[in-house]
Amino acid sequence: MPPARDALCRYGAEWAATKLRWGLAVDEAEQGRLLDIAAGCGGTDVEFTPAL
């Protein structure tokens, strides 16, 4: 995990976007970590294009 807050927010957004893009499952532990990251990243948008 990146130590800088801005980098952590970007990492979390890109992590979520990759999961969404490819329709990948998220286990309970991963979901909890993503929610923890997102809680400290107000205003960070997750943008993705679904894979065809």
Side-chain angles (χ1 to χ4, degrees):
M1 293 291 173
R5 170 64 55 187
D6 290 345
L8 183 60
C9 292
R10 179 178 172 185
Y11 179 82
E14 290 179 4
W15 181 0
T18 299
K19 290 288 195 168
L20 291 166
R21 174 176 168 75
W22 296 102
L24 301 174
V26 178
D27 66 26
E28 196 172 310
E30 186 177 17
Q31 180 184 22
R33 186 61 181 129
L34 284 168
L35 290 172
D36 288 344
I37 292 170
C41 298
T44 300
D45 294 327
V46 176
E47 298 178 14
F48 72 99
T49 302
L52 298 176

